[in-house]
Amino acid sequence: MSKIRPSKGAPYARILGVGGYRPTRVVPNEVILETIDSSDEWIRSRSGIETRHWASDEETVAAMSVEASGKAIADAGISAEQIGGVIVSTVSHFKQTPAVATEIADKLGTNKAAAFDISAGCAGFGYGLTLAKGMIVEGSAEYVLVIGVERLSDLTDLHDRATAFLFGDGAGAVVVGPSQEPAIGPTVWGSEGDKSETIKQTVPWTDYREGTVEKFPAITQEGQAVFRWAVFEMAKVAQQALDAAGITPDDLDVFIPHQANERIIDSMVKTLKLPQHVTVARDVRTTGNTSAASIPLAMERLLATGEAKSGDTALVIGFGAGLVYAATVVTLP
């Protein structure tokens, strides 16, 4: 018989608060057209994107995260000292070590919270949410801060017609805490590494360091391959998440997919046969693709505008480089 004492965590976990930060600079499509041969109409028709936010030198990954996290902590009605874990999903923090999560935890004033970064691309928020849920139910933390943050303008090739218009910057954060009823459903997640070449960094950092390439690394993708995968495969994953939570599309109030492309969002809505009453996040129009930050930013905006309300049942799904994905059903804070 094991001598280890059983964990004393909460029976369930839930999202208690949400916060977002968008850089002050708003970049319209006209700015993107200065470096690529395209048109505003083409960008809107292919992606739905009208504007995006680009960070200034002062709006670092850490600075944006602290701003978003402060709002989420206040929204949850707790203090920073109560945060026992800080999970940051990002692909655009350029220091290999230490984890930016440790800097954020310190600046927020947590009491030596566990802090670490994860790299799961556009599915990173879902990965972080799942880890936070486990920490709370297991009992290693009472409250966990999950942050999705990106400065993708640093990894954008403004001369790449396929991607120059896609990416934006920003940070979104949620506080996850104890619950007496299920409020974060089972996560359906996974990876398809055989498709990893469809979204990737152009060259390793070492190639740039050693001078074998002169161009700073950027994110590139095979647009049509990604579109087909997202539309057909991710709709199946979304349905699996609904099934795992024991609900149907009719039970949903809100759908918050990764804000990659409005055409992908529209196709998923159609494939899932979502009812008219379901509110669909379309933050991509004015925020662009912010990778790990896109779902919490879209969630924050829906709640702030009143398009969604506390207690609503929402399906969230992230998918991207890897290729990785994560979907779950949550109760909105």
Side-chain angles (χ1 to χ4, degrees), residues 47-104:
S47 68
I49 298 172
E50 303 166 8
T51 61
R52 74 284 292 147
H53 296 255
W54 283 355
S56 66
D57 290 344
E58 292 75 27
E59 291 168 317
T60 63
V61 165
M64 292 190 293
S65 297
V66 169
E67 289 291 331
S69 299
K71 296 175 184 177
I73 291 169
D75 191 44
I78 65 169
S79 66
E81 290 85 354
Q82 293 174 272
I83 297 291
V86 177
I87 303 171
V88 177
S89 179
T90 185
V91 299
S92 49
H93 174 59
F94 293 151
K95 287 184 179 179
Q96 194 72 39
T97 192
V100 72
T102 59
E103 178 184 349
I104 294 165

Side-chain angles (χ1 to χ4, degrees), residues 26-330:
V26 177
V27 179
N29 288 338
E30 286 72 22
V31 172
I32 307 298
L33 297 175
E34 294 173 3
T35 52
I36 61 171
D37 180 17
S38 188
S39 68
D40 177 63
E41 189 279 331
W42 186 88
I43 293 174
R44 292 183 189 229
S45 66
R46 292 303 179 97
S47 68
I49 298 172
E50 303 166 8
T51 61
R52 74 284 292 147
H53 296 255
W54 283 355
S56 66
D57 290 344
E58 292 75 27
E59 291 168 317
T60 63
V61 165
M64 292 190 293
S65 297
V66 169
E67 289 291 331
S69 299
K71 296 175 184 177
I73 291 169
D75 191 44
I78 65 169
S79 66
E81 290 85 354
Q82 293 174 272
I83 297 291
V86 177
I87 303 171
V88 177
S89 179
T90 185
V91 299
S92 49
H93 174 59
F94 293 151
K95 287 184 179 179
Q96 194 72 39
T97 192
V100 72
T102 59
E103 178 184 349
I104 294 165
D106 178 64
K107 288 185 174 179
L108 286 170
T110 67
N111 184 20
K112 300 181 180 179
F116 57 95
D117 298 351
I118 59 175
S119 177
C122 306
F125 176 75
Y127 275 52
L129 189 64
T130 304
L131 294 173
K133 173 186 174 183
M135 291 166 70
I136 290 157
V137 173
E138 186 271 339
S140 60
E142 185 175 11
Y143 300 99
V144 178
L145 186 64
V146 179
I147 304 165
V149 57
E150 302 291 2
R151 275 182 53 119
L152 294 181
S153 57
D154 292 332
L155 287 169
T156 299
D157 180 354
L158 293 178
H159 297 277
D160 180 358
R161 189 173 184 269
T163 61
F165 59 90
L166 286 175
F167 302 120
D169 303 336
V174 299
V175 171
V176 183
S179 175
Q180 293 303 308
E181 60 183 15
I184 300 175
T187 300
V188 178
W189 57 353
S191 65
E192 298 186 29
D194 60 317
K195 301 179 180 65
S196 61
E197 291 295 300
T198 56
I199 307 174
K200 63 181 182 179
Q201 184 172 305
T202 49
V203 295
W205 299 113
T206 49
D207 286 6
Y208 183 73
R209 181 192 66 191
E210 294 164 4
T212 55
V213 295
E214 295 183 358
K215 204 170 187 179
F216 192 76
I219 297 173
T220 186
Q221 69 175 30
E222 298 174 16
Q224 286 303 313
V226 173
F227 182 87
R228 288 193 297 270
W229 176 77
V231 168
F232 296 109
E233 298 303 320
M234 291 305 98
K236 297 176 187 176
V237 170
Q239 182 61 56
Q240 290 169 13
L242 291 175
D243 295 341
I247 67 172
T248 70
D250 287 335
D251 298 315
L252 276 182
D253 300 303
V254 185
F255 179 43
I256 312 178
H258 165 48
Q259 301 294 292
N261 180 309
E262 194 165 34
R263 289 172 63 208
I264 292 174
I265 295 171
D266 289 339
S267 295
M268 291 183 71
V269 168
K270 183 177 180 180
T271 302
L272 288 167
K273 298 179 181 179
L274 295 185
Q276 287 290 324
H277 74 263
V278 176
T279 297
V280 179
R282 300 184 184 279
D283 195 45
V284 67
R285 293 174 178 171
T286 55
T287 307
N289 180 344
T290 56
S291 188
S294 79
I295 290 175
L297 278 174
M299 182 185 295
E300 184 264 349
R301 175 161 281 172
L302 288 175
L303 289 167
T305 60
E307 295 173 82
K309 63 183 185 300
S310 174
D312 279 352
T313 300
L315 168 63
V316 299
I317 178 170
F319 45 86
L323 295 169
V324 296
Y325 55 88
T328 188
V329 175
V330 303

